[in-house]
Amino acid sequence: MTDTAQTGSHANPRIDAELQNVAPSKLEVRGVCKHFKAFGTGEKVVALEDISLKVDEGQFVCLVGPSGCGKSTLLNLVAGLDKPDCGELLIDGEPITQPGRDRMMMFQEHALFPWLDVFGNVMFGLKLKPGLTDKERKEVAKFYIRLVGLDDFRHAAIHELSGGMRQRVALARALAPNPRVLLMDEPFGALDALTRENLYVDLQKIWSTRRKTILFVTHNIREAVCLGDRVVLFSPHPGKIREEFAVDLPRPRDINDTALASLSAKITSALKQHLGKKEASE
Ligand code: ADP
């Protein structure tokens, strides 16, 4: 990541205006529930029960819990990809009824287009962006590719990249339309520890300059404490919020920091308690 990537300076004021960070949004989830029918048996699965959560503008909130506790379901509802069975979800006070460019999603599986190169993938998110010429979109794409540290790989094919680099492309693609909210579903879950550590460092740097409201799903408590302002604990069957922890550690944070490890241990033990005898997976 370079400093010029963060500040940007172009002869074209329209590009400079586009690269200005938009104000992050406030999210509110009020009494939300969501049911599914289980595959095969058809039994009712309560994915989410009475979920209420407020996320302030620009906050980084991590949703933590074992598989099946409804974290991804909640992210999908905030993304507008699905609708709740009860309750409501609001963005800046307005009901969420459909997906929008104000909320971009990033997944564990990089979900990139293998037939496009790095540049093509980042351009894809900008295709329908109104008010920019194709040439201007290209400048915007270059800016975000530089921001995630892939300037030298702009024309690399996706299959030539490591897992970490692919997630950097996915991050650039999600950031390029300049969303107000970033929804991240275990984005680093498939990466090795060292690659993840590098991404924690860079994601913190990027978030400090391109401030977004972030909802970040993970089952890795240490990762949540390293990144989040708040860690929200979920438990499954039914998917419920059990407890919440504020993370008041100074930034940037190092995943190997002892204070971070000690808060992670406290949260892990709380999760184990909530899960009863079940193993807390981290
Ligand atoms: P998490 O992200 O915490 O692992 P999910 O939100 O993916 O949890 O799932 C919560 C529960 O809802 C799980 O029991 C899962 O099997 C169920 N579920 C999620 N999506 C569907 C679906 N489309 N159809 C049926 N069941 C689903």
Side-chain angles (χ1 to χ4, degrees):
M1 238 182 55
T2 63
D3 287 344
T4 46
Q6 288 173 26
T7 52
S9 181
H10 295 86
N12 183 337
R14 278 153 55 93
I15 297 177
D16 282 340
E18 175 58 34
L19 295 180
Q20 289 292 316
N21 210 6
V22 287
S25 287
K26 182 164 118 184
L27 296 172
E28 197 170 348
V29 179
R30 287 190 192 151
V32 158
C33 61
K34 181 73 188 171
H35 311 141
F36 294 107
K37 276 192 177 159
F39 300 113
T41 64
E43 272 176 43
K44 182 176 166 183
V45 177
V46 184
L48 294 172
E49 186 178 88
D50 194 21
I51 301 293
S52 293
L53 183 69
K54 279 186 188 169
V55 181
D56 285 339
E57 296 91 340
Q59 256 193 345
F60 197 137
V61 174
C62 295
L63 312 180
V64 169
S67 267
C69 62
K71 307 180 299 291
S72 301
T73 301
L74 181 59
L75 228 54
N76 286 339
L77 295 177
V78 176
L81 297 170
D82 205 349
K83 294 200 162 37
D85 293 315
C86 68
E88 58 178 352
L89 298 106
L90 307 172
I91 180 164
D92 297 323
E94 296 294 322
I96 294 173
T97 55
Q98 57 184 6
R101 261 203 315 266
D102 53 350
R103 285 152 285 142
M104 295 306 289
M105 190 111 164
M106 190 179 156
F107 302 93
Q108 175 174 348
E109 294 308 328
H110 54 83
L112 300 173
F113 301 120
W115 60 90
L116 297 174
D117 63 5
V118 169
F119 189 70
N121 269 280
V122 179
M123 276 294 280
F124 191 87
L126 291 165
K127 262 198 171 145
L128 300 174
K129 185 112 188 153
L132 288 180
T133 64
D134 206 44
K135 189 160 174 272
E136 288 164 346
R137 282 190 196 104
K138 284 180 182 162
E139 286 305 316
V140 173
K142 278 187 208 163
F143 170 87
Y144 285 101
I145 291 169
R146 211 176 308 134
L147 186 69
V148 299
L150 288 181
D151 220 11
D152 293 341
F153 297 88
R154 213 187 292 160
H155 296 295
I158 298 304
H159 69 84
E160 292 174 316
L161 304 178
S162 67
M165 289 160 92
R166 289 177 193 190
Q167 287 308 71
R168 285 172 188 273
V169 180
L171 180 60
R173 189 176 66 178
L175 289 170
N178 212 355
R180 296 178 190 276
V181 177
L182 209 50
L183 303 169
M184 306 179 83
D185 197 351
E186 300 215 32
F188 308 142
L191 305 176
D192 64 85
L194 207 60
T195 303
R196 279 205 309 263
E197 280 191 28
N198 289 332
L199 278 159
Y200 298 151
V201 172
D202 282 356
L203 180 59
Q204 291 186 75
K205 274 188 204 161
I206 290 170
W207 180 68
S208 71
T209 54
R210 311 295 301 176
R211 187 59 69 111
K212 309 285 174 198
T213 304
I214 298 187
L215 266 188
F216 186 103
V217 163
T218 178
H219 59 269
N220 183 328
I221 291 174
R222 235 168 135 133
E223 174 173 285
V225 175
C226 181
L227 296 172
D229 293 312
R230 292 156 61 197
V231 176
V232 179
L233 274 193
F234 280 67
S235 72
H237 316 302
K240 270 180 105 74
I241 294 179
R242 293 292 169 180
E243 203 171 340
E244 194 183 309
F245 296 82
V247 186
D248 292 325
L249 302 171
R251 286 193 163 95
R253 297 179 191 149
D254 176 350
I255 190 91
N256 300 306
D257 176 63
T258 47
L260 196 152
S262 129
L263 179 55
S264 305
K266 186 176 155 196
I267 298 176
T268 303
S269 126
L271 181 60
K272 282 182 177 166
Q273 256 180 19
H274 289 301
L275 293 174
K277 288 199 169 69
K278 282 185 212 159
E279 280 273 313
S281 61
E282 193 186 298

